[in-house]
C-alpha cells in the first residue's frame, strides 16, 4: 500500500489532480475482445441507468449513473492493456472528521485493497488477479483514496467486477484488520527514518496550524492504536457510496461495454448520504516560522516556503510560472546560481502546490552539505527577492510556457498516467479537461503577473523554513527577516560500424533519442570505481562549441528533456523532445555524447557533487545495506563495485581519466543509437548518419568480455551497526547471467513464486508481511550480461532481524525441496507474462530495452520472445535452479543492535 503526501496533478509539479475524460453517448464503439475467464454473476437489484453521458475530446466519455457514481472512460488502443481505477472522494487525512489523526482512511485502504469481500476470500481474489496477470494496489492522499487494477485489456470486465465488489462488499475480516494494522505500525515506524517523509510532515505542520491538511496521511501512532474494525466499517459505510466515487477505465476497451458493465455491477447499490466535511479556515500567517529536526545522515535537507492560494484562484498560473523560472531545468535561475556559478547544493527544485480544498504553498527544496547549506539558503531567498524586484525575461517566460506545453504531451504516454490524471483532475476541479485549460491559461501569463504574485505572496513576513540536519548539526533558532500508430523496428549499421535502431511511433508528437556504450562496472576496477558515473555526469557539461549553460538553455527552451547516466554495464544518454525539434536536438545531443569538453571548472563542480552524494549514502538504510553487500562480493565481479564509486576512488579521478575512458569506449563498435517516435525512418537514419557517421572506426577495439566470476567459496555473514532505528536484511545467492536464457527464465519464475513479479507477493511477502514482521520484503535478480546474484531484501524492526532471516532461509529451503504447487507455478508464469506486457509502454522504455538487448548480443528483438521463454519453463526447471544456485549465500544486515 502507498500513502501519498506529495502528488502530481497530471503533468503539473503540484499537489492536486488533473487530466482528460472520454465520452460515449450514441457513437458507434470499436469492437474489443470481451473479458476471458470466469464471468461474474449478474448483480441483484434494479438496473441502474445513466442520467448523463457526455462525449469529450480525446476519446473520453464522462457519465453519471442515477445513484450518483461518476464514470470516466478513455479508449486508448496503442497497447492491449487497460487500467481500472476507483477514487473515493472526501477521504484522506484532511477529511476524517471525528477520526482525525487516526489515519483511518489509510487503514481502510489496507483492508479493502485485495481484502476479503462477502463474495470471495482474500486468497481467491489474489488467485483471480494472478491468473489473468493483473497488478493491483492502492494509495491514500490528504483528500481521497485510490484503488487500481492494471490488466490485459481482454480481462477488463472481470477487473471492473472485482473493483466494484471491493468498493461495495468488503467483509472486514478481523484477522485481516489486525494484520494490516500491524503492517501500518511498522510502516509508520519506518517512516520516522525517511528524511523526505519527515520533511514533508514538518512542513505541513509548520505551514498549517489549523487546517487538517497538516495531519499525516498515515496518522499518529497513539491515535492509530485506538483504531478498531468497527471504526473503519463505519467510515466505509459513510464514505464508500456511489455518489462519493469516481470510477475510471482507460485502455484498449469498448466504451459502451465498459459503461454497461459498471452499471450492472452497481445495480444493487443506491445513492448514499452526501458527504460534507467542514474544514476550518487557515488563518493568515503574520510572521516567519521555522522547524528543525536532526536525523541520521551527513547532509542538510531544506525547504523554504510561503503560503499562497487554492486551485480556484487565478494567481495559480503565474505562481507556477514563477516556480519554473526559479528551478525547472539546468538553465533555471537556481540551478545556475547554486550548482554552476557557486556549487552550494547537491540538488534544488521548486513547486507551487495549490490543492482545491486548502490554501496552497510555494516551496523551494534543496539538499546541501554541512559547510554550504546556510549560504544556499541565503541565495535561495535572494533569488526569490529577484522575482519581486525584477521582471522575468521574455526568454525565461517563453521557456516556462514551452516546458508546460511539453509536459502535457509527455505526461500522457501510458494508460496508467492518463487514468490517474482523469480521476484526480475530476475530483479537484469537476472538469476532466482542466489540464488543457491550465496550459492555455499558462500561455497567457505575463512577466508583470509573475512579479505581482511574487510581491503579493513571497514576502518575508510569511516565510517558512524547515531544516533536516545531521546529528549535532541543528542551527540555533533565530528570527528571520528574509525569506497513434506503431511501425516496425529498423536496424541499420553505418559504415563506421555504429548500429542504429529506428522505430516510428505516431501516438504522440514526440521523439526519443538514445545513445549507449558498453562499459561502466564491466571495465572499471575497485581502483577506478565511479569513473563511468563521472564521465556520464560530464557529458552534458559543455562541448567544444557550447557551454553547460547553453546546452541546458537549449533543451529547456524547447521543453525537452535530456539526461546522461551510467548504469552498471553502460553509459547512456537520452533526450525526449517534441517532433518539430528532433533534428536540432539530435545535433546537440550528438555533440554532447561524442565531443564533450570535460571543462575543468565543471569537472571540479561535478566531482564535488559526486563526493557529497557519496557521503550522503549513509542517510539511507537501504543504500548502507547494499554498499555492505557490494563490498563482500568477489572483487572480479562487476557487482562488487558501487556504481557511483567510493569517496577515495572518486577523489583521485582526474579529467585525464575521463578523457581516456571516453576515447577508449566511445567508439562505433561499442555503441548503439536509437530514434523512436514520430519520425520518418529514412530521415531519421540520414540525421543519425550526419551527426554520428563521422565518428572514426576503432579497428583495434577488443569487445568487452562478460565472462566474470560470481561464485563464493563459503557462506559470508556481515553486520553493520548503525544509528537508524530500523533493520535491513539482504541475502544474496550467486545466480545466472541474462545470456543464460533457460536458467534466467527459470529463476524469474522462481522469483515470482517466492516474492511476486514486479509487485509484492508470493511466499515471502505473504508470510513475513502477513505476520507483521517486515515493512517490505522482495526478491529480485541483480544481474546482466555478466553473472549476478539472486537477492532478497527486507526492512524490519531491529529486534526481528534474526527471525526474518530464519523465515527467508526456510522459504529458500522450501524451494530447494520443490514444495511448489502446480497451480501456483502456472499462476506465476501467467502473472509474469501479463505484467511484462504492461512494461516498456513508452517509446523511451522500448528504445532502451531494444538497445540493451542488441548491445548484449541478444538481438534488438529479444524481448519479443519473452513469453515463449517463460512458457517453456517447467516445474522441474524451477526446482533445478533452486538447487543449482541456492548454495552458499552472502548475508548482510544493518541495525542499531550488535549481532
Amino acid at each position: 500500500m502507498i500513502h501519498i503526501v506529495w502528488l502530481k496533478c497530471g503533468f503539473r509539479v503540484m499537489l492536486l489532480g488533473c487530466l482528460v475524460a472520454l465520452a460515449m453517448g450514441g457513437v458507434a464503439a470499436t469492437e474489443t475482445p470481451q473479458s476471458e475467464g470466469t464471468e461474474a454473476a449478474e448483480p441483484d437489484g434494479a438496473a441502474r441507468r445513466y442520467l448523463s453521458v457526455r462525449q469529450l475530446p480525446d476519446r473520453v466519455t464522462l457519465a453519471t449513473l442515477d445513484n450518483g457514481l461518476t464514470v470516466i472512460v478513455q479508449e486508448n488502443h496503442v497497447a492491449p492493456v487497460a487500467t481500472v481505477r476507483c477514487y473515493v472522494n472526501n477521504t484522506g487525512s484532511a477529511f476524517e472528521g471525528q477520526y482525525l489523526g487516526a489515519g483511518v482512511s489509510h487503514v481502510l485502504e489496507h483492508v479493502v485493497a485485495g481484502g476479503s469481500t462477502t463474495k470471495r476470500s482474500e486468497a481467491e481474489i489474489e488467485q483471480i488477479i494472478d491468473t489473468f496477470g493483473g497488478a493491483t494496489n492502492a494509495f491514500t492522499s490528504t483528500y481521497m483514496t485510490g484503488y487500481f487494477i492494471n490488466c490485459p485489456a481482454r480481462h477488463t470486465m472481470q477487473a471492473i467486477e472485482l473493483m466494484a465488489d471491493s468498493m461495495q462488499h468488503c467483509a472486514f475480516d478481523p484477522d485481516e484488520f489486525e494484520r494490516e494494522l500491524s503492517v501500518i505500525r511498522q510502516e509508520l515506524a519506518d517512516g520516522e527514518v525517511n528524511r523526505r517523509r519527515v520533511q514533508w510532515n514538518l512542513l505541513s505542520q509548520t505551514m498549517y496550524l489549523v487546517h487538517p491538511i497538516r495531519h499525516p496521511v498515515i496518522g499518529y501512532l497513539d491515535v492509530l492504536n485506538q483504531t478498531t474494525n468497527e471504526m473503519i466499517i463505519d467510515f466505509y459505510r459513510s464514505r464508500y457510496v456511489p455518489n462519493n466515487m469516481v470510477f475510471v477505465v482507460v485502455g484498449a476497451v469498448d466504451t459502451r461495454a465498459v459503461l454497461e458493465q459498471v452499471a450492472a455491477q452497481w445495480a444493487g447499490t443506491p445513492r448514499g448520504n452526501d458527504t460534507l466535511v467542514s474544514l476550518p479556515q487557515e488563518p493568515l500567517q503574520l510572521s516567519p516560522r521555522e522547524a528543525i529536526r536532526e536525523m541520521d545522515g551527513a547532509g542538510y535537507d531544506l525547504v523554504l516556503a510561503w503560503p499562497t492560494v487554492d486551485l480556484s484562484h487565478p494567481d495559480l498560473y503565474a505562481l507556477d510560472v514563477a516556480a519554473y523560472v526559479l528551478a525547472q531545468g539546468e538553465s533555471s535561475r537556481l540551478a545556475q546560481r547554486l550548482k554552476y556559478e557557486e556549487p552550494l547544493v547537491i540538488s534544488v527544485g521548486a513547486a507551487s502546490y495549490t490543492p482545491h480544498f486548502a490554501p496552497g504553498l510555494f516551496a523551494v527544496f534543496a539538499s546541501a552539505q554541512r559547510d554550504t547549506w546556510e549560504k544556499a539558503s541565503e541565495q535561495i531567498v535572494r533569488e526569490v527577492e529577484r522575482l519581486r524586484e525584477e521582471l522575468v525575461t521574455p526568454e525565461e517566460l517563453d521557456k516556462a510556457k514551452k516546458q508546460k506545453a511539453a509536459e502535457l504531451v509527455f505526461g500522457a504516454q501510458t494508460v496508467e498516467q492518463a487514468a490517474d490524471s482523469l480521476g484526480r483532475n475530476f475530483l479537484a476541479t469537476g472538469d476532466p479537461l482542466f489540464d488543457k485549460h491550465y496550459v492555455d491559461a499558462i500561455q497567457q501569463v505575463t512577466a508583470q503577473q509573475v512579479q505581482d504574485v511574487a510581491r503579493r505572496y513571497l514576502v518575508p513576513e510569511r516565510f517558512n523554513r524547515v531544516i533536516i540536519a545531521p546529528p549535532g548539526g541543528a542551527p540555533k533558532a533565530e528570527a528571520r527577516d528574509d525569506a497513434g500508430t506503431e511501425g516496425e523496428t529498423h536496424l541499420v549499421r553505418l559504415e563506421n560500424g555504429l548500429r542504429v535502431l529506428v522505430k516510428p511511433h505516431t501516438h504522440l508528437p514526440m521523439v526519443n533519442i538514445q545513445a549507449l556504450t558498453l562499459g561502466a562496472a564491466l571495465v572499471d576496477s575497485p581502483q577506478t570505481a565511479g569513473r563511468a558515473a563521472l564521465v556520464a555526469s560530464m557529458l552534458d557539461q559543455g562541448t567544444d562549441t557550447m557551454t553547460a549553460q547553453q546546452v541546458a538553455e537549449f533543451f529547456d527552451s524547447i521543453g525537452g528533456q535530456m539526461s546522461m547516466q551510467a548504469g552498471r554495464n553502460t553509459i547512456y544518454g537520452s533526450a525526449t523532445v517534441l517532433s518539430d525539434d528532433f533534428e536540432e536536438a539530435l545535433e546537440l545531443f550528438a555533440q554532447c555524447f561524442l565531443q564533450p569538453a570535460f571543462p575543468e571548472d565543471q569537472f571540479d563542480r561535478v566531482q564535488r557533487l559526486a563526493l557529497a552524494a557519496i557521503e550522503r549514502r549513509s542517510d539511507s538504510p537501504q543504500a548502507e545495506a547494499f554498499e555492505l553487500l557490494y563490498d563482500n562480493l568477489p572483487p572480479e565481479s562487476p557487482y562488487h563495485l558501487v556504481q557511483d564509486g567510493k569517496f577515495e576512488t572518486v577523489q583521485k579521478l582526474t579529467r585525464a581519466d575521463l578523457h581516456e575512458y571516453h576515447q577508449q569506449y566511445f567508439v562505433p563498435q561499442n555503441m548503439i543509437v536509437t530514434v523512436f517516435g514520430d519520425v520518418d525512418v529514412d530521415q531519421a537514419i540520414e540525421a543519425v548518419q550526419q551527426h554520428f557517421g563521422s565518428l572514426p572506426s576503432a579497428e583495434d577495439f577488443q569487445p568487452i568480455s562478460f565472462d566474470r566470476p560470481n561464485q563464493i567459496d563459503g557462506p559470508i555473514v556481515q553486520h553493520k551497526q548503525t544509528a537508524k532505528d530500523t533493520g535491513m536484511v539482504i541475502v544474496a545467492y550467486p545466480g545466472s547471467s541474462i545470456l543464460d536464457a533457460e536458467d534466467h527464465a527459470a529463476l524469474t519464475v522462481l522469483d515470482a513464486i517466492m516474492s511476486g513479479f514486479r509487485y509484492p507477493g508470493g511466499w515471502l511477502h505473504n508470510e513475513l508481511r502477513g505476520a507483521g514482521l517486515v515493512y517490505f520484503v522482495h526478491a529480485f535478480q541483480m544481474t546482466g550480461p555478466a553473472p549476478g546474484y539472486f537477492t532478497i531484501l527486507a526492512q524490519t524492526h531491529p529486534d526481528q532481524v534474526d527471525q526474518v532471516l530464519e523465515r527467508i532461509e526456510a522459504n529458500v529451503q522450501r524451494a530447494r525441496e520443490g514444495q511448489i504447487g502446480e497451480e501456483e507455478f502456472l499462476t506465476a508464469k501467467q502473472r509474469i507474462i501479463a505484467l511484462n506486457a504492461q512494461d516498456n509502454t513508452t517509446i523511451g522504455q522500448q528504445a532502451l530495452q531494444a538497445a540493451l538487448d542488441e548491445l548484449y548480443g541478444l538481438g534488438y528483438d529479444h524481448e519479443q520472445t519473452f513469453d515463449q521463454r517463460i512458457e517453456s519453463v517447467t516445474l522441474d526447471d524451477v526446482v533445478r535452479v533452486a538447487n543449482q544456485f541456492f548454495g552458499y549465500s552472502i548475508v548482510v544486515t544493518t541495525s542499531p543492535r550488535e549481532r
Side-chain angles (χ1 to χ4, degrees), residues 265-390:
Q265 296 307 320
W266 257 270
T269 302
R271 184 184 187 95
N273 293 329
D274 286 335
T275 301
L276 178 61
V277 179
S278 179
L279 301 176
Q281 184 175 356
E282 183 67 26
L284 182 68
Q285 181 178 338
L286 301 177
S287 60
R289 301 171 188 167
E290 186 171 69
I292 304 166
R293 178 162 172 182
E294 293 184 358
M295 294 184 68
D296 186 57
Y300 285 76
D301 294 303
L302 313 174
V303 187
L304 284 66
W306 295 259
T308 58
V309 301
D310 65 21
L311 182 62
S312 63
H313 200 287
D315 283 345
L316 82 93
Y317 306 104
L319 285 165
D320 279 4
V321 171
Y324 267 52
V325 169
L326 271 184
Q328 183 68 17
E330 290 300 298
S331 66
S332 64
R333 291 183 175 186
L334 286 176
Q336 288 298 311
R337 174 63 64 88
L338 302 181
K339 295 172 71 175
Y340 291 90
E341 294 176 12
E342 185 177 6
L344 297 175
V345 300
I346 299 170
S347 63
V348 64
S352 176
Y353 163 39
T354 49
H356 64 284
F357 59 93
L361 59 87
F362 186 100
V364 178
F365 299 82
S367 295
Q369 296 171 270
R370 187 181 293 268
D371 59 345
T372 62
W373 77 268
E374 289 180 290
K375 190 170 184 181
S377 180
E378 292 170 0
Q379 291 299 321
I380 291 170
V381 170
R382 176 64 193 124
E383 286 300 325
V384 172
E385 289 174 347
R386 278 186 63 201
L387 288 176
R388 299 199 301 264
E389 296 167 358
E390 307 169 7

Side-chain angles (χ1 to χ4, degrees), residues 526-568:
Q527 291 73 40
T528 62
R531 181 177 56 160
L534 215 56
V535 169
S537 297
M538 288 294 297
L539 290 177
D540 60 357
Q541 297 305 302
T543 69
D544 293 336
T545 60
M546 296 190 73
T547 66
Q549 181 174 354
Q550 289 171 327
V551 172
E553 281 280 3
F554 171 77
F555 281 99
D556 287 349
S557 68
I558 64 172
Q561 302 167 355
M562 185 176 79
S563 64
M564 302 289 181
Q565 302 179 56
R568 188 170 293 281

Side-chain angles (χ1 to χ4, degrees), residues 103-147:
V104 65
S105 302
H106 181 238
V107 177
L108 181 56
E109 171 226 312
H110 270 249
V111 173
V112 171
S116 298
T117 70
T118 56
K119 294 183 178 181
R120 305 177 179 91
S121 70
E122 184 178 47
E124 289 172 326
I125 294 171
E126 181 178 358
Q127 181 183 15
I128 292 172
I129 294 176
D130 284 348
T131 299
F132 67 64
T136 183
N137 214 327
F139 54 87
T140 303
S141 77
T142 52
Y143 71 96
M144 61 89 172
T145 307
Y147 300 83

